[in-house]
Amino acid sequence: MPWATTLILILAGLCGSSVGQYNEEEDLAWLQYYLRQSRVSSYNYVPYYEEESPAYAYSYPSATDTEPEPEPEPQQAAPWRCPQECDCPPNFSSAMYCDTRNLRYLPFVPSRMKYVYFQNNLITSIQEGAFDNATELEWLALHNNQIGSEKVGKRVFGKLQRLERLYMNNNNLTRLPGPLPRSLRELHLSYNHISKVPSNALEGLENLTALYLSHNFIFEMGASLKGLKSLILADLSYNNLRKVPDGLPASLEQLYLEYNYINAIPEDYFQVSPRLLYVRMSHNSLTNQGLSGNTFNSSSLLELDLSYNRLQKIPRVNTNLENLYLQGNQIDEFSISSFCSVVDVVNYSRLQVLRLDGNAIKRNAVPPDAPLCLRRAAVIEI
């Protein structure tokens, strides 16, 4: 066969491989592969207390400061074309990688894309209509850029009616982007400059299960969480909150409010969330005067972190609680009634870990019936 004919066949084969249609099995395989090989940070949240170290950490590689890349020439909106700045693996035709390339703009997104990664760049704006062609998007990663709220189109996410995960953490946002599609399940906005969340900012997001707003400057939340009927995790830690958010959703299981300035909690505040398992409120300004007698007496709670506050007494907790952290307060009395209203063979606490170190309690102040009440405790530190 002549060499020219051979070359033509090879080129034809290469072109044909890039036009392949995607299918559901391919998408699932790609998702599993990406989760194993991804170079970006993990978003898994560890719900257990780990000594004094933070329970989570975000780590992003820094983009090297280089000369800006030239703006790309306008491209025809062909459904198969991949921008020259990005990689579109032929075997996974619904994913596009544009991460860690010092990009200062958003390239064209082909219509077939479901998973698009723009993280770790120098992008400052999202122009109106940037994703109008990519209405099939499910994952959109824009974290670790320099995007400011004033440079985000007002309806830039409006047509993404299948979007489930939006990553915009570690940018320069001063307010929540929106409106957001009702399909959204995870919203990552940590490490921004957001100071206020209006009550209607999350309106309509009935499918949202995880909200990450830590490491901002939020001083007011209002009742913005109340209408989130599917919300399971709310991370509002490392902010400037002086009061707890109004109206927790009934679906909530994990609430993280550590490193704020909260000094009081309304009576029955946690009772509206019967599935609540983990509450972290360490490093606030809580006092016993700001709590009612049964604020934390919730039968669903498994872990409660109230360390490094201003408590002078152990608050009353439910016998189902398994982990209680009270170190670094001003407690001077070991009150067994905080754990067991009745102490006998049948009635006892399920507490496994109790930390009271860094308080004013003396070891000999532990009452004699403590071993009977706390018979399941494996760790008690005073």
Side-chain angles (χ1 to χ4, degrees):
M1 180 180 294
W3 68 270
T5 304
T6 304
L7 179 59
I8 291 172
L9 290 175
I10 292 173
L11 290 174
L14 289 174
C15 292
S17 65
S18 65
V19 193
Q21 299 296 317
Y22 63 84
N23 53 52
E24 295 299 326
E25 293 182 356
E26 173 189 301
D27 288 348
L28 180 59
W30 169 238
L31 180 57
Q32 293 172 342
Y33 174 84
Y34 176 74
L35 291 176
R36 291 195 303 268
Q37 302 296 330
S38 175
R39 292 168 294 173
V40 300
S41 302
S42 171
Y43 292 95
N44 293 329
Y45 204 109
V46 181
Y48 291 101
Y49 191 92
E50 298 179 359
E51 277 298 321
E52 302 302 332
S53 60
Y56 46 82
Y58 296 88
S59 178
Y60 306 102
S62 300
T64 306
D65 189 14
T66 61
E67 292 297 321
E69 296 185 6
E71 292 288 338
E73 295 182 2
Q75 304 181 44
Q76 183 180 357
W80 50 268
R81 180 173 294 176
C82 183
Q84 62 182 0
E85 305 90 345
C86 307
D87 291 328
C88 305
N91 295 331
F92 309 107
S93 58
S94 59
M96 185 172 87
Y97 292 94
C98 311
D99 56 302
T100 320
R101 295 162 198 249
N102 293 316
L103 296 180
R104 297 176 182 271
Y105 55 86
L106 285 173
F108 164 75
V109 181
S111 59
R112 73 175 185 273
M113 294 303 169
K114 290 186 176 182
Y115 315 106
V116 178
Y117 305 96
F118 293 115
Q119 71 270 23
N120 307 326
N121 280 297
L122 302 171
I123 299 168
T124 59
S125 63
I126 307 176
Q127 64 274 20
E128 197 73 65
F131 306 114
D132 282 4
N133 187 59
T135 55
E136 301 294 316
L137 277 181
E138 296 181 9
W139 286 30
L140 178 55
L142 290 160
H143 52 283
N144 200 24
N145 277 285
Q146 299 173 13
I147 301 169
S149 292
E150 68 283 355
K151 294 186 178 181
V152 178
K154 292 182 178 180
R155 301 195 62 83
V156 73
F157 304 112
K159 292 186 178 181
L160 304 181
Q161 297 305 309
R162 298 189 179 183
L163 189 66
E164 293 186 357
R165 292 173 174 85
L166 177 59
Y167 300 92
M168 294 190 72
N169 37 301
N170 203 19
N171 276 284
N172 297 324
L173 298 175
T174 55
R175 60 179 180 271
L176 268 66
L180 296 169
R182 294 176 179 268
S183 57
L184 204 62
R185 296 178 61 84
E186 291 186 15
L187 180 58
H188 298 257
L189 295 172
S190 299
Y191 291 93
N192 276 284
H193 305 289
I194 300 168
S195 59
K196 185 178 180 181
V197 182
S199 293
N200 62 348
L202 301 168
E203 189 174 358
L205 301 184
E206 296 185 358
N207 293 308
L208 194 68
T209 60
L211 175 63
Y212 298 89
L213 281 168
S214 70
H215 294 271
N216 277 281
F217 301 96
I218 300 171
F219 66 89
E220 184 178 343
M221 285 290 296
S224 54
L225 303 181
K226 190 173 184 179
L228 305 179
K229 298 182 179 180
S230 302
L231 192 66
I232 294 176
L233 184 152
D235 185 357
L236 306 172
S237 58
Y238 293 87
N239 276 289
N240 294 328
L241 291 172
R242 297 187 179 277
K243 57 177 293 188
V244 290
D246 297 331
L248 297 180
S251 58
L252 196 64
E253 295 181 7
Q254 303 178 50
L255 177 63
Y256 303 108
L257 289 165
E258 61 263 44
Y259 288 92
N260 278 284
Y261 299 93
I262 299 168
N263 56 23
I265 302 176
E267 190 173 1
D268 300 328
Y269 179 71
F270 298 111
Q271 303 304 320
V272 298
S273 302
R275 300 178 183 177
L276 196 58
L277 300 173
Y278 307 103
V279 172
R280 289 184 181 162
M281 298 192 69
S282 67
H283 297 273
N284 275 278
S285 302
L286 290 173
T287 65
N288 290 96
Q289 289 72 31
L291 306 175
S292 70
N294 287 306
T295 299
F296 300 110
N297 190 9
S298 174
S299 60
S300 63
L301 274 183
L302 296 180
E303 177 181 294
L304 176 60
D305 188 350
L306 300 174
S307 58
Y308 300 101
N309 277 279
R310 300 175 184 175
L311 299 174
Q312 295 178 317
K313 296 181 180 180
I314 300 174
R316 181 179 175 82
V317 295
N318 195 272
T319 55
N320 290 326
L321 190 69
E322 295 181 358
N323 300 283
L324 177 60
Y325 305 99
L326 291 167
Q327 69 270 27
N329 278 278
Q330 302 169 10
I331 301 170
D332 57 5
E333 177 185 0
F334 194 116
S335 52
I336 201 66
S337 59
S338 297
F339 309 102
C340 300
S341 56
V342 178
V343 182
D344 56 28
V345 177
V346 179
N347 299 286
Y348 57 90
S349 170
R350 274 71 176 172
L351 206 64
Q352 298 177 17
V353 175
L354 172 61
R355 289 195 57 178
L356 286 164
D357 45 309
N359 283 281
I361 300 177
K362 298 180 180 179
R363 290 182 177 274
N364 58 9
V366 178
D369 51 354
L372 188 59
C373 170
L374 303 174
R375 67 185 69 175
R376 288 195 176 183
V379 175
I380 299 179
E381 294 191 18
I382 300 177

